[in-house]
């Protein structure tokens, strides 16, 4: 098996996930119970043997009470986030198996409660989250291209280009692209 590059995003993410578990004093078994993710999968994630899917990362973020953007920002290099985030510097994370690409347009910043994320789902992509990483998280989902079905706590909405869906998130959610084209959308995420 090939050793992961210690400087890669996957390796830094794996190390941060292991740190978060260690900070709480949890064993892999306890984390598995809290997340519903198998112990072996968690172990492989923390050793950077596999990359997390969006759904797995969502479960871990919920358990660690962090937005996905905040977790990903924690593994980025550089300690002082810039006020101006140039397009070339916006980090992109891809979950190839699920057909999801996530760009951190305006990453988390100390003292600011909002962030902007751009998502692209390929046709047929379907991502479900068990719950929010932080209860009461505010989302403004603005569809720019394609068709997007968003289900929030059991209520489904079909968005067309230009539509904006606003909600506070307390329970499960799901993003699905029925096609035929990819869905490109922006989400403004505001901490409660």
């Amino acid at each position: 098996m090939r050793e992961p590059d210690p400087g890669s995003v996957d390796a830094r993410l794996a190390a941060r996930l292991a740190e978060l578990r260690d900070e709480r004093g949890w064993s892999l078994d306890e984390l598995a119970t809290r997340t519903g993710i198998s112990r072996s999968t968690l172990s492989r994630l923390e050793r950077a043997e596999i990359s997390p899917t969006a759904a797995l990362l969502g479960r871990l973020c919920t358990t660690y009470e962090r937005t996905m953007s905040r977790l990903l920002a924690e593994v980025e290099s550089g300690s002082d986030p810039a006020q101006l985030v140039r397009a070339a510097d916006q980090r992109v994370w891809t979950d190839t198996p699920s057909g999801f690409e996530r760009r951190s347009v305006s990453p988390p910043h100390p003292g600011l409660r909002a962030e902007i994320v751009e998502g692209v789902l390929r046709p047929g992509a379907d991502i479900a989250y068990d719950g929010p990483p932080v209860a009461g998280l505010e989302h403004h989902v603005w569809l720019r291209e394609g068709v997007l079905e968003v289900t929030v706590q059991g209520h489904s909405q079909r968005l067309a280009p230009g539509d904006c869906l606003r909600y506070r998130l307390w329970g499960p959610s799901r993003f699905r692209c029925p096609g035929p084209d990819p869905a490109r959308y922006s989400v403004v995420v505001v901490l409660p």
Side-chain angles (χ1 to χ4, degrees):
M1 179 183 350
R2 192 179 106 215
E3 282 294 312
D5 171 9
S8 73
V9 172
D10 282 343
R12 292 192 316 265
L13 180 57
R16 183 61 184 139
L17 291 171
E19 286 172 6
L20 287 168
R21 182 176 58 79
D22 188 54
E23 287 169 9
R24 285 156 179 78
W26 296 341
S27 66
L28 281 171
D29 288 326
E30 185 169 352
L31 183 58
T33 299
R34 290 174 181 270
T35 61
I37 301 169
S38 76
R39 182 188 189 289
S40 63
T41 297
L42 291 169
S43 177
R44 294 181 69 207
L45 284 171
E46 288 186 5
R47 291 191 317 259
E49 291 178 3
I50 60 172
S51 297
T53 63
L56 284 179
L57 203 51
R59 283 179 173 178
L60 289 165
C61 286
T62 298
T63 301
Y64 292 130
E65 297 179 321
R66 279 172 165 64
T67 64
M68 194 178 299
S69 293
R70 182 144 323 265
L71 178 63
L72 293 172
E74 290 171 358
V75 301
E76 297 300 332
S77 55
S79 58
D80 189 25
Q83 286 185 316
L84 174 61
V85 184
R86 301 266 183 211
D89 297 328
Q90 295 169 6
R91 303 295 182 184
V92 176
W93 178 75
T94 303
D95 177 8
T96 304
S98 73
F100 176 53
E101 180 179 284
R102 180 184 195 289
R103 174 182 293 274
S104 188
V105 177
S106 176
H109 187 283
L112 299 178
R113 292 182 24 225
E115 62 187 81
I116 302 172
V117 174
E118 177 187 62
V120 178
L121 289 177
R122 71 175 179 240
D126 189 346
I127 300 174
Y129 300 98
D130 294 334
V134 178
L137 202 58
E138 182 179 337
H139 281 187
H140 299 255
V141 181
W142 178 41
L143 183 64
R144 295 169 39 220
E145 297 173 13
V147 176
L148 181 66
E149 292 176 359
V150 180
T151 304
V152 179
Q153 294 152 196
H155 301 317
S156 188
Q157 299 284 345
R158 186 178 181 103
L159 282 67
D163 291 348
C164 182
L165 177 63
R166 306 177 297 176
Y167 54 89
R168 301 275 309 252
L169 192 56
W170 300 98
S173 61
R174 179 178 173 196
F175 288 69
R176 187 173 94 72
C177 176
D181 300 313
R184 179 179 299 275
Y185 57 95
S186 296
V187 182
V188 176
V189 179
V190 184
L191 291 171

